[in-house]
Amino acid sequence: MMSLRCKLGLASLLACLGLPLVPLRAEPLKDYTALDLHALAAPPELIASPEALLKYLLQPATNDEDKARLLFRWVTNNIEYDVDSYKSGIATPASLAEVLRTRKSMCGGYANLFAELARLAGLGVMSISGYVKGFSYQPGEPLGDVNHEWNAVRIDGQWRLIDSTWGAGSVDETGIYRRRFQPYYFLADPAQLGWTHWPAESKWRLLTQDVAGDEFAARVRPTPVFFMLGLHMPQEVRHTIPVSCHNWSLNLPLPESVLLTASLTQAGSLQEHATLVQRAEQGAKVHVSLPGAGEYRLHLYGRKKSEAGDSFDLLLSYRLLAPSLPTNSARLPEIYVTFQAHRGELLQPLSYHLPEQQVQHFSLRLADAVEVAVVSGDGQWFKLQREGDLFSGDVLVSGATRVVGSFDESGKNFFSLLAFAGVPPGLVPAVPLCQ
């Protein structure tokens, strides 16, 4: 009988099912391609006999890590999360024979299946019960009951962590389970996994410095992509932050190889022009302009600079609580990816709304740029003066205003960098000052 049954209820179900992630693109420390292909090619009829299945799976294994990988890849590919049984309130049998027969199970069944196969393969293995911050997790909610189970496997004399449930798939933004292989959860770093997984027994946290349950519950929840991009946690690790000023900012260590963007939402509604991400010394600075009183979600997204396209992956989310702010109409300029990719820094203006038919000073730093110009709403171009990587100049604002830049000597190809809105002078919102 399984040692853990996830508590019945949709919230715990979604915790077991994990985070809504896209497939991770970062390369693993070891190339498991050949082992994975072997596991994926296992003849379907072998599932009727654990012994025959293991005899096939372990053929290419040369060490314990290979064995663990072959089992992990087979389990994540062949066992589906039994959402229907979970919602019905009927516990899914988690014995080895039953899970292999139905090819479905809940989180405890995944862990039990991996453990039983690992023991038959001669591996040291344990099942771990604990609490996880899954898809349904909301910042501020207490730990509550144990809601998940995963594994520790002994490799080269050390215990390593594996979560086959989260490795097999996750819940998408609509709440539907999607099978999607997540290699991050094979031999995950305890210090990284510890941001989302909290074993009930402290010995299985495998940390040099233990984390109390209350501290774990109060921490922000990074996604695996955060660590796969080589990022480090910012100083602010609380998921819920009281804010007493319209202007709030967060510093995040960020390597040159990673691009960062952000969004602010309130009750699921996107707040336009409420965030501004700027390159800063040894990282990035995220500026936030809160529209007024209320509860907000700040979401940070990232991707490798070398990747094509406009797709960014979720990295971190914060809850900002501003119970007593007056209404604020000031907004932040819109920054395009190209500006970030070339280590741009906007110095002036730092407001999205600019007074029409008035002269505005523009100043920015942009590495690699050959020419930078401001394009007004009536189509006029104003070339900014260059001194090293500093571009500046005075421009008469008219309507929708863009800053564009060229990065080749021909000066023929221009890319959008920044965007502003020209409005009547009397309608330019005042930028609130903090006490």
Side-chain angles (χ1 to χ4, degrees), residues 43-54 74 96-97 100-101 103:
E45 62 270 16
L46 295 181
I47 202 169
S49 170
E51 292 76 15
L53 176 62
L54 280 174
W74 186 88
L96 174 65
L100 289 178
R101 184 185 70 81
R103 301 182 69 163

Side-chain angles (χ1 to χ4, degrees), residues 251-274:
N251 291 302
L252 180 71
L254 192 73
E256 289 287 340
S257 60
V258 175
L259 297 178
L260 184 72
T261 187
S263 69
L264 186 74
T265 62
Q266 185 178 43
S269 177
L270 178 66
Q271 305 298 299
E272 296 285 351
H273 307 296

Side-chain angles (χ1 to χ4, degrees), residues 94-408:
S95 67
L96 174 65
E98 189 65 16
V99 174
L100 289 178
R101 184 185 70 81
T102 62
R103 301 182 69 163
K104 288 187 176 182
S105 190
M106 294 187 289
C107 47
Y110 276 90
N112 186 60
L113 173 61
F114 181 87
E116 291 296 331
L117 291 176
R119 290 189 186 100
L120 291 174
L123 297 174
V125 64
M126 294 293 294
S127 292
I128 302 172
S129 300
Y131 181 87
V132 293
K133 297 176 180 178
F135 177 76
S136 66
Y137 172 76
Q138 294 296 323
E141 77 176 33
L143 287 188
D145 296 322
V146 163
N147 66 356
H148 195 53
E149 190 167 350
W150 59 103
N151 295 107
V153 61
R154 197 164 182 82
I155 295 175
D156 296 331
Q158 293 186 328
W159 287 105
R160 308 291 299 278
L161 299 175
I162 289 175
D163 190 335
S164 299
T165 310
W166 284 23
S170 61
V171 175
D172 66 14
E173 61 276 4
T174 67
I176 303 299
Y177 177 75
R178 306 291 184 187
R179 176 174 287 178
R180 183 179 291 150
F181 181 52
Q182 300 289 357
Y184 172 83
Y185 294 105
F186 177 72
L187 307 185
D189 184 337
Q192 297 178 3
L193 196 67
W195 289 90
T196 55
H197 290 57
W198 193 79
E201 290 187 74
S202 60
K203 68 178 181 180
W204 293 118
R205 294 169 202 155
L206 305 182
L207 300 173
T208 55
Q209 185 175 352
D210 195 15
V211 176
D214 290 345
E215 181 182 352
F216 170 81
R219 283 180 165 185
V220 70
R221 180 188 65 185
T223 69
V225 182
F226 181 92
F227 296 112
M228 300 295 279
L229 289 175
L231 303 185
H232 298 282
M233 294 300 297
Q235 286 189 331
E236 183 56 82
V237 297
R238 297 174 298 166
H239 55 57
T240 299
I241 302 170
V243 179
S244 58
C245 177
H246 290 93
N247 302 316
W248 185 82
S249 62
L250 172 76
N251 291 302
L252 180 71
L254 192 73
E256 289 287 340
S257 60
V258 175
L259 297 178
L260 184 72
T261 187
S263 69
L264 186 74
T265 62
Q266 185 178 43
S269 177
L270 178 66
Q271 305 298 299
E272 296 285 351
H273 307 296
T275 61
L276 173 68
V277 179
Q278 295 256 57
R279 278 284 175 180
E281 187 176 352
Q282 298 181 342
K285 189 168 187 175
V286 181
H287 300 266
V288 179
S289 180
L290 298 177
E295 179 177 324
Y296 300 87
R297 292 289 191 277
L298 173 65
H299 306 288
L300 305 183
Y301 304 86
R303 69 169 171 84
K304 288 185 176 180
K305 187 189 298 186
S306 59
E307 293 175 355
D310 298 324
S311 177
F312 282 73
D313 297 327
L314 179 65
L315 304 177
L316 289 172
S317 294
Y318 289 90
R319 181 172 69 156
L320 306 181
L321 299 181
S324 57
L325 291 180
T327 300
N328 166 36
S329 299
R331 295 295 181 265
L332 296 167
E334 182 174 354
I335 288 187
Y336 292 88
V337 172
T338 304
F339 190 71
Q340 259 204 68
H342 290 274
R343 305 184 299 283
E345 180 186 5
L346 176 62
L347 304 176
Q348 287 182 268
L350 292 176
S351 175
Y352 176 67
H353 298 101
L354 305 178
E356 281 196 322
Q357 301 306 314
Q358 292 189 15
V359 174
Q360 174 69 55
H361 184 71
F362 284 79
S363 178
L364 58 96
R365 295 189 182 278
L366 189 62
D368 308 325
V370 174
E371 186 175 337
V372 175
V374 178
V375 184
S376 64
D378 58 9
Q380 293 191 68
W381 283 55
F382 301 88
K383 181 179 178 180
L384 299 182
Q385 297 301 308
R386 177 183 181 183
E387 292 185 26
D389 65 351
L390 177 66
F391 294 84
S392 62
D394 295 329
V395 175
L396 182 65
V397 174
S398 176
T401 301
R402 292 182 300 131
V403 176
V404 299
S406 176
F407 300 92
D408 61 78

